[in-house]
Amino acid sequence: MLVLEIASGLREEGYAIDLMSSGYDVAKRMGIIPQLEAVQYPISKIENVNERGERESEMNYDLFRRFQKGRLLALMRGDLERELHTALSDDVEIRYELTIDDIQQCDSSVTVLLSDGTREHGALLVGADGIHSRVRELAFGDEREFLRYLGYHTGAFIFEDEAVYRRLDGTFKNLTVPNRTIGCYPLRDGKLATFFVHRTPVRERPDDIRTALRRTYGGLDWVIPDILDHCDDVDNIYYDQVAQIEMPRWTWGRVTLVGDACQAVSLLAGQGASLAMGGAYVLAHELRQDGPIEETLAKYEAHMQPEIEKKQAAGRRAAKWLFPPSQHHITVRNIALKATQFPGGAHLLKPILESGTESVVEGL
């Protein structure tokens, strides 16, 4: 198997993710749960604070774990990628800093022209290259035909600041004002991670993301000025649209897609990594059945599509809860979160907590 990767190596940028349901089940079948448990972050709560850093409400993270029946790991994206990379078999070859420039196929094979001028041949091409997939563009058409912009931009980076680290006091904290949210949380070795989400009608990503972050969040207090001071210190800042990919078909002959390339649910729905792992497992399961390629890929799509559509719809419904557009919405959210601290109050979050419990690999 040959894997082509546009990056120069394993990537550390990105933010914390929840590995649950499908992703957890796949990791368990791979036998890497112990390795992932060793690098997880045992988050107990997420605090929502005001611009003075005062707690206004909190999310009890154990509620998520209970709804997931313990099948939940909080990981940095880079840690998950590293453990998956370590688990690869020796017959997998990875070539970095390459993209695909052209795809040609016949009844029995597919040929790709690579950015270094070489050509490779195989029985199947799987595009697992994210929401801005080059394989999808070559095989199915322009991104604008499939990308559903949800009205937000997001960013994230990892930095070091002893003063900010102390002020977090070991807790994941969010500051939310109308249409803007910033989260900051401590990592190992004195590092910190932050993420930004803000509403904007402008779909296009800015040319200068550092200036865009300072302009959008520069008027806020708490630790925000200190965080923004590190924009120029870090080498890599993740920045993108918050969007979903909606496609009627994921397969063209011997080309198919997996993960965000065809089924992006967005950070509003979460579970992107878990669903990508689940989708890859379903595809591999169908390929192992050794049937006609057209039938195999059709079964993969039919298995995944209903669950993806459900997760995408749930994400769109959760937008106002996760990133409130007004002070009224923020107040209502805080009241609901406080109510969960009382007996029976957890039912208020049931629609959100239950939306990620289904596993696409169950029964396979």
Side-chain angles (χ1 to χ4, degrees):
M1 178 183 293
L2 173 62
V3 176
L4 306 171
E5 170 60 58
I6 190 174
S8 59
L10 298 181
R11 295 170 294 169
E12 293 296 324
E13 68 266 22
Y15 36 65
I17 60 173
D18 292 322
L19 187 73
M20 53 186 172
S21 58
S22 304
Y24 189 98
D25 289 348
V26 172
K28 186 175 181 178
R29 297 182 188 197
M30 293 175 66
I32 61 172
I33 291 296
Q35 293 90 322
L36 295 177
E37 288 178 336
V39 297
Q40 72 167 320
Y41 287 89
I43 298 172
S44 61
K45 62 182 179 180
I46 300 175
E47 288 188 359
N48 295 303
V49 303
N50 59 28
E51 289 193 70
R52 297 182 297 277
E54 300 166 339
R55 182 172 62 88
E56 294 194 324
S57 65
E58 67 179 46
M59 169 68 77
N60 184 341
Y61 212 71
D62 287 336
L63 287 176
F64 285 99
R65 292 192 176 91
R66 289 206 295 270
F67 273 85
Q68 288 290 332
K69 299 179 180 179
R71 296 156 49 241
L72 174 64
L73 297 172
L75 303 162
M76 289 300 292
R77 182 203 167 280
D79 290 336
L80 175 60
E81 180 180 351
R82 184 170 56 253
E83 296 302 330
L84 291 173
H85 179 270
T86 300
L88 288 175
S89 63
D90 293 337
D91 61 353
V92 177
E93 177 189 359
I94 302 180
R95 297 185 198 169
Y96 293 100
E97 298 184 291
L98 286 173
T99 58
I100 294 176
D101 287 344
D102 187 46
I103 301 170
Q104 299 291 331
Q105 58 178 318
C106 62
D107 291 341
S108 59
S109 67
V110 58
T111 300
V112 294
L113 172 64
L114 306 184
S115 53
D116 64 357
T118 61
R119 294 182 184 273
E120 291 291 339
H121 311 275
L124 178 67
L125 172 62
V126 179
D129 47 345
I131 195 169
H132 303 297
S133 170
R134 174 63 169 160
V135 174
R136 186 187 63 231
E137 179 184 22
L138 291 171
F140 297 93
D142 192 277
E143 176 179 290
R144 289 174 294 183
E145 298 181 36
F146 312 111
L147 188 140
R148 180 173 183 163
Y149 177 57
L150 298 179
Y152 302 86
H153 284 192
T154 183
F157 61 83
I158 296 172
F159 67 104
E160 295 184 37
D161 189 307
E162 291 184 10
V164 174
Y165 201 97
R166 288 194 300 270
R167 291 182 68 180
L168 290 182
D169 194 26
T171 304
F172 192 130
K173 299 181 187 290
N174 283 336
L175 168 63
T176 299
V177 298
N179 295 316
R180 290 176 292 173
T181 293
I182 299 181
C184 193
Y185 43 102
L187 305 177
R188 286 177 281 272
D189 302 323
K191 294 182 179 179
L192 294 154
T194 188
F195 77 92
F196 308 80
V197 180
H198 66 274
R199 185 187 296 269
T200 173
V202 180
R203 297 168 59 101
E204 294 76 16
R205 290 169 290 179
D207 294 330
D208 186 342
I209 59 177
R210 290 169 170 81
T211 297
L213 289 175
R214 285 191 289 262
R215 182 176 61 247
T216 303
Y217 300 94
L220 299 177
D221 291 327
W222 184 43
V223 296
I224 309 309
D226 300 305
I227 292 174
L228 293 174
D229 282 344
H230 290 280
C231 280
D232 293 326
D233 300 340
V234 295
D235 294 329
N236 297 308
I237 297 180
Y238 168 81
Y239 191 102
D240 208 347
Q241 306 158 313
V242 177
Q244 296 176 338
I245 294 296
E246 299 174 317
M247 301 182 69
R249 291 292 308 275
W250 305 339
T251 299
W252 170 54
R254 290 180 172 268
V255 180
T256 194
L257 304 173
V258 73
D260 280 358
C262 60
Q263 59 192 38
V265 295
S266 84
L267 62 82
L268 296 177
Q271 308 173 62
S274 292
L275 286 169
M277 290 174 64
Y281 186 93
V282 172
L283 175 58
H285 170 80
E286 296 299 342
L287 289 170
R288 283 197 297 267
Q289 307 312 304
D290 200 28
I293 191 68
E294 297 84 359
E295 181 179 323
T296 294
L297 299 181
K299 287 181 178 179
Y300 155 62
E301 287 189 16
H303 188 103
M304 291 297 298
Q305 286 232 6
E307 192 62 29
I308 297 305
E309 291 173 0
K310 184 163 57 176
K311 293 292 192 298
Q312 289 180 332
R316 295 191 293 271
R317 290 195 301 269
K320 290 183 179 179
W321 171 271
L322 295 172
F323 307 116
S326 69
Q327 187 58 49
H328 170 73
H329 285 87
I330 295 172
T331 301
V332 170
R333 182 200 64 182
N334 289 338
I335 291 173
L337 287 174
K338 290 176 181 177
T340 64
Q341 309 303 311
F342 298 97
H347 77 278
L348 294 171
L349 299 182
K350 190 174 181 179
I352 296 175
L353 297 175
E354 282 192 330
S355 65
T357 57
E358 305 89 348
S359 174
V360 298
V361 304
E362 188 173 351
L364 295 182

